[in-house]
Amino acid sequence: MTQTPYRAEDAALEATGNIFSLTWPDGTIITLDRFKERSDELTAEVTIRLRANPTTAPRHVHQARLNLVSTQARDRLAKQLETVMPRRDSQYPAWAAVLEVACVLVLRKWREGEPVYDIGALPPTNGTVPYQAWPFIILGQPTIVYAEGGIGKSVFARYLALLVQAGLSRTGITVQQANVLYLDWETDRATFLHYIWALKKEMPELHPDLAVSYRRCHSSLVSDGVEIQRIVAEKHIGMVVCDSVMAGFGDDINDNAQAMQYFNTVRSWGTSALLVDHHGKVDTGPIGASGKWTRARAVWEMKAGEQDNPDVVRVGLFHRKVNDGRFQPPAGFEFKFLSRHEGEEEHLEGIAVKRTDIADIPDLSGDLPVGQQIISFLQHGKASALDIVNYMNANRPPKKKPYSDPYIRVTLSRLEQKGRVVHLPDGSWGLAARPET
């Protein structure tokens, strides 16, 4: 019997999410990905390549879909490989033995799943919820930001992508640096580049060569998930932006089963995820399946104020859901689009982003917590309880019930107990003096 230089069992297995790669000493590489599990079978796409020496790229040998638990399927593939690259009289292990080892090792790893940890013996290293971009994106978890079309949610997502890629904290956002992958189902590379360039121009803190990884997408996120996972591994991605969820969701945006598949795919990447989504037809959160709301660890709604200047968009972000930690206060932002006009053509040259007070945005101030609205109003001077009630109801969204006088008086009393306001001798209310520091 011919002595083989190695055994079929001498395979090095590397797993990246649901992508498994086995390498043998002679340069044989078998990769299994795009798994499908149904009742009594597990199939995967199998790609066989051969690297002649460490300095050359591997050449393709064969690709097929294989049922890993079927002996007949493995035998058929082994016979096919024997016709492509014969090993019957070779010193190397037979294809049947190599495929047997590949299927056994991958099946074992697949069924192991994630590791089990004993939790509780040691205290947490950090008692707070970790953030990729505080207060918006929780580290390693999916966060949804949803809004009506055309009010700036993609501009905000691109802005966050730049901050995280650069590790730059500004405008009240504290980031943990990570490589960012931007998945775009809405526009194209030229449009994305234009906006990134315009944002960078108004952020001199950024290095001129700073770049965000970008991929134009057209298939559903679930069907593209393995390839995205490969990119995440190759580029050491720590945060993925999906713009938008609706466009990459699939054929039925109301299907909760698709929502579960969508979020399971995002979870398989092991990254933070900013999921940009559209507003539903009614005021019930993101459009489509309720499972999106259930699976997201944090949900923010973006609203725009009335635009009196076409070059300035002011928005408010409102924290609608959180699973870990506490609700964050509303945050206001202003996007100023700096353009150059040549005749009827308009050329975007910069986008300046700054924080703004939501209380100063008339259409949005009514969405603030009651106490915050009262504090903002009293910043303009003392006022009676009746004046405060009238102000609050003037800014109250039309569909919501007006505030009553007793409710506002109870809120004022609570603010007084907290030392935020004072009840003056003339019966009016004012802001409490701040202690000197």
Side-chain angles (χ1 to χ4, degrees), residues 38-94:
R38 290 191 298 268
S39 61
D40 59 347
E41 67 176 37
L42 176 66
T43 67
E45 285 191 14
V46 180
T47 304
I48 297 97
R49 295 171 298 161
L50 182 65
R51 189 191 301 273
N53 62 70
T55 62
T56 61
R59 68 180 181 88
H60 178 77
V61 176
H62 190 69
Q63 185 171 1
R65 176 161 284 277
L66 175 67
N67 181 0
L68 276 65
V69 295
S70 169
T71 301
Q72 291 181 338
R74 291 198 297 270
D75 287 344
R76 285 195 298 269
L77 181 55
K79 290 177 181 178
Q80 176 64 30
L81 289 170
E82 189 65 31
T83 63
V84 176
M85 184 175 291
R87 279 190 169 184
R88 187 172 292 111
D89 300 322
S90 167
Q91 62 175 333
Y92 299 111

Side-chain angles (χ1 to χ4, degrees), residues 15 17-18 20 108-119 267-268:
N18 292 335
F20 300 87
R108 187 179 300 158
K109 195 70 176 176
W110 176 271
R111 289 166 177 168
E112 281 178 3
E114 295 289 328
V116 175
Y117 300 97
D118 294 327
I119 303 294
R267 183 176 176 83
S268 72

Side-chain angles (χ1 to χ4, degrees), residues 278-288 399:
H278 294 267
H279 200 295
K281 291 183 179 179
V282 293
D283 192 17
T284 55
I287 191 171
K399 295 181 181 180

Side-chain angles (χ1 to χ4, degrees), residues 110-386:
W110 176 271
R111 289 166 177 168
E112 281 178 3
E114 295 289 328
V116 175
Y117 300 97
D118 294 327
I119 303 294
L122 296 175
T125 55
N126 191 334
T128 61
V129 177
Y131 276 81
Q132 190 78 66
W134 182 88
F136 302 108
I137 305 171
I138 299 175
L139 183 68
Q141 303 292 342
T143 296
I144 290 178
V145 173
Y146 72 97
E148 295 178 354
I151 71 168
K153 57 184 180 293
S154 291
V155 174
F156 184 65
R158 293 159 184 162
Y159 177 65
L160 286 178
L162 279 171
L163 295 187
V164 172
Q165 183 69 48
L168 173 64
S169 298
R170 73 190 304 265
T171 60
I173 302 172
T174 304
V175 306
Q176 183 175 143
Q177 195 282 328
N179 292 337
V180 178
L181 173 63
Y182 202 103
L183 303 175
D184 186 0
W185 279 267
E186 299 274 350
T187 61
D188 53 34
R189 185 175 63 175
T191 302
F192 183 78
L193 171 62
H194 201 175
Y195 274 84
I196 289 293
W197 179 82
L199 286 163
K200 285 179 62 178
K201 190 174 181 182
E202 298 305 313
M203 288 192 282
E205 314 98 309
L206 297 182
H207 192 280
D209 295 334
L210 180 76
V212 174
S213 295
Y214 171 88
R215 186 174 190 262
R216 180 179 178 273
C217 301
H218 54 83
S219 301
S220 72
L221 179 139
V222 172
S223 65
D224 231 3
V226 173
E227 188 56 36
I228 295 168
Q229 191 172 65
R230 196 188 311 278
I231 297 169
V232 166
E234 290 176 354
K235 290 185 170 290
H236 306 288
I237 299 298
M239 187 178 90
V240 177
V241 181
C242 299
D243 187 2
S244 66
V245 176
M246 184 184 74
F249 192 72
D251 55 2
D252 186 355
I253 61 172
N254 297 305
D255 187 351
N256 275 322
Q258 286 188 207
M260 294 304 105
Q261 292 177 345
Y262 187 100
F263 277 85
N264 285 342
T265 301
V266 172
R267 183 176 176 83
S268 72
W269 302 334
T271 68
S272 306
L274 171 58
L275 310 177
V276 181
D277 207 357
H278 294 267
H279 200 295
K281 291 183 179 179
V282 293
D283 192 17
T284 55
I287 191 171
S290 61
K292 294 192 294 183
W293 179 279
T294 304
R295 290 294 301 273
R297 305 305 290 176
V299 178
W300 288 79
E301 180 182 10
M302 176 185 282
K303 291 185 174 183
E306 183 177 349
Q307 292 181 237
D308 51 8
N309 181 343
D311 296 326
V312 177
V313 176
R314 292 193 295 172
V315 300
L317 284 119
F318 301 87
H319 204 183
R320 301 306 191 198
K321 182 206 171 184
V322 63
N323 284 85
D324 305 299
R326 63 180 182 84
F327 278 95
Q328 301 292 341
F333 287 87
E334 178 183 287
F335 307 134
K336 186 174 183 180
F337 296 86
L338 308 172
S339 302
R340 171 173 51 85
H341 296 270
E342 293 182 358
E344 296 183 357
E345 293 186 356
E346 182 178 348
H347 302 274
L348 179 63
E349 293 199 328
I351 302 174
V353 181
K354 71 176 185 177
R355 284 295 284 265
T356 188
D357 191 344
I358 292 180
D360 295 332
I361 308 176
D363 293 346
L364 301 183
S365 60
D367 289 306
L368 291 171
V370 176
Q372 193 171 340
Q373 292 184 57
I374 292 174
I375 296 296
S376 296
F377 180 57
L378 292 179
Q379 287 175 349
H380 300 287
K382 67 178 184 177
S384 68
L386 180 60

Side-chain angles (χ1 to χ4, degrees), residues 384-407:
S384 68
L386 180 60
D387 290 338
I388 295 171
V389 172
N390 291 335
Y391 162 78
M392 297 283 288
N393 286 326
N395 290 281
R396 186 79 166 151
K399 295 181 181 180
K400 295 187 177 181
K401 184 179 178 181
Y403 293 115
S404 66
D405 183 87
Y407 178 77

